[in-house]
């Protein structure tokens, strides 16, 4: 394989790419920049963690990447197509999103909620085909929630509901799944369970899964790639490389916690 062929093959596996992206807010008086010079390349089958201190702009970045919020400048591409060139329907077939907002109706059954992920593919009256029904059942099985199938969503725990939301995103059958704080309100066991589940799904389905999280230690252990947001930069890389470069050393003020390069985790200062 020639170098050019290799580069083309590698390029085709880039699911999400940003070039010189600037995110923030436009107001009548001024432009408020949250982060700039954001250059990210995410590939098929990767589990990617977006980490940083509270209020650093993680949710703003995710909203911009998904088209919920306008970029200030730069480029965002999904599967080599610029975000602005997607129609709403075609974007729904390329990108699925799991937000932290509570459900508007918890009176749906688990099966009905997961089936909503098939909306981009159903006919205009929303009838589910045999293929749609099979996809929903497959996703329930992949997440190991077959036993919850007929339960109402209001009967579920926070951890169970999060698994159902992930199953709905899987049912949407997109190359890219983005989750905003998927472990919020969960205890330590269920935080680890959800992130291990995402790690397994990325490998088994070859989908690119990007999530934001405050669980930095877990993200370092489980992710293929990390996007680290700080006051001055947005850095992307493999966890081991980022540790070696000292990327985590200045993520938080050093008066209370410090990063231990030997253990790859944060510890409270004595």
């Amino acid at each position: 394989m020639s170098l050019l062929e290799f580069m083309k093959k590698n390029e085709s596996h880039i699911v999400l790419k940003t070039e010189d992206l600037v995110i923030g807010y436009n107001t009548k008086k001024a432009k408020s920049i949250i982060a700039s010079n954001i250059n990210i390349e995410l590939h098929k089958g990767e589990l990617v963690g977006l980490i940083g201190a509270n209020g650093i702009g993680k949710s703003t970045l995710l909203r911009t990447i998904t088209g919920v919020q306008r970029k200030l400048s730069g480029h965002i591409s999904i599967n080599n197509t610029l975000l602005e060139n997607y129609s709403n329907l075609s974007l729904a077939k390329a990108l699925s999103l799991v937000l932290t907002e509570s459900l508007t109706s918890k009176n749906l059954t688990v099966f009905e909620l997961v089936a909503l992920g098939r909306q981009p593919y159903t006919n205009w009256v929303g009838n589910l085909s045999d293929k749609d029904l099979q996809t929903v059942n497959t996703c329930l099985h992949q997440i190991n929630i077959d036993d919850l199938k007929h339960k109402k969503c209001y009967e579920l725990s926070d951890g169970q509901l999060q698994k159902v939301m992930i199953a709905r995103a899987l049912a949407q059958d997109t190359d890219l799944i983005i989750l905003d704080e998927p472990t919020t309100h969960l205890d330590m066991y269920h935080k680890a369970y959800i992130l291990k589940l995402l790690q397994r799904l990325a490998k088994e389905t070859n989908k690119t899964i990007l999530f934001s999280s405050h669980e930095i230690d877990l993200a370092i252990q489980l992710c293929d790639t990390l996007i680290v947001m700080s006051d001055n930069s947005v850095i992307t890389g493999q966890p081991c490389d980022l540790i070696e470069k000292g990327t985590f050393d200045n993520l938080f003020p050093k008066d209370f916690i410090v990063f231990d390069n030997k253990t790859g985790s944060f510890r409270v200062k004595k």
Side-chain angles (χ1 to χ4, degrees), residues 73-199:
S73 64
H75 303 287
I76 304 165
S77 300
I78 298 175
N79 288 330
N80 299 319
T81 299
L82 289 172
L83 185 62
E84 56 265 32
N85 291 339
Y86 277 94
S87 66
N88 289 336
L89 181 59
S90 60
L91 185 60
K93 293 180 180 180
L95 162 72
S96 51
L97 183 60
V98 180
L99 298 173
T100 52
E101 282 86 351
S102 58
L103 289 173
T104 52
S105 175
K106 287 193 174 182
N107 205 39
L108 295 172
T109 66
V110 166
F111 186 90
E112 289 168 339
L113 179 57
V114 175
L116 289 177
R118 298 303 299 166
Q119 279 188 335
Y121 309 96
T122 57
N123 57 37
W124 65 275
V125 290
N127 290 334
L128 295 171
S129 66
D130 288 341
K131 181 184 177 183
D132 294 322
L133 293 171
Q134 182 180 353
T135 299
V136 173
N137 282 314
T138 298
C139 293
L140 290 169
H141 186 69
Q142 281 180 304
I143 307 296
N144 197 26
I145 52 173
D146 306 77
D147 57 324
L148 302 179
K149 187 174 181 177
H150 301 297
K151 278 187 173 291
K152 297 282 189 178
C153 289
Y154 65 76
E155 300 178 275
L156 305 179
S157 67
D158 288 338
Q160 289 173 326
L161 186 57
Q162 191 59 268
K163 286 188 273 188
V164 174
M165 297 300 289
I166 294 169
R168 185 180 73 171
L170 269 184
Q172 201 170 323
D173 195 20
T174 59
D175 285 338
L176 178 61
I177 298 175
I178 294 181
L179 306 97
D180 189 13
E181 296 286 354
T183 57
T184 301
H185 309 309
L186 302 183
D187 60 32
M188 181 56 69
Y189 172 84
H190 288 95
K191 287 178 192 293
Y193 184 96
I194 290 296
L195 296 189
K196 282 288 288 183
L197 171 63
L198 295 179
Q199 183 191 48

Side-chain angles (χ1 to χ4, degrees), residues 30-47:
K31 182 185 292 186
S32 175
I33 295 176
I34 301 295
S36 59
N37 195 32
I38 304 171
N39 294 285
I40 297 168
E41 285 188 5
L42 304 184
H43 297 79
K44 271 185 173 293
E46 283 188 326
L47 178 64

Side-chain angles (χ1 to χ4, degrees), residues 51-59 181 213-214 216 229 231 251-252:
I51 60 175
N54 278 341
I56 205 69
K58 297 188 296 296
S59 292
E181 296 286 354
S213 180
H214 296 296
I216 298 176
M229 293 190 74
D231 288 325
L251 203 57
F252 300 105

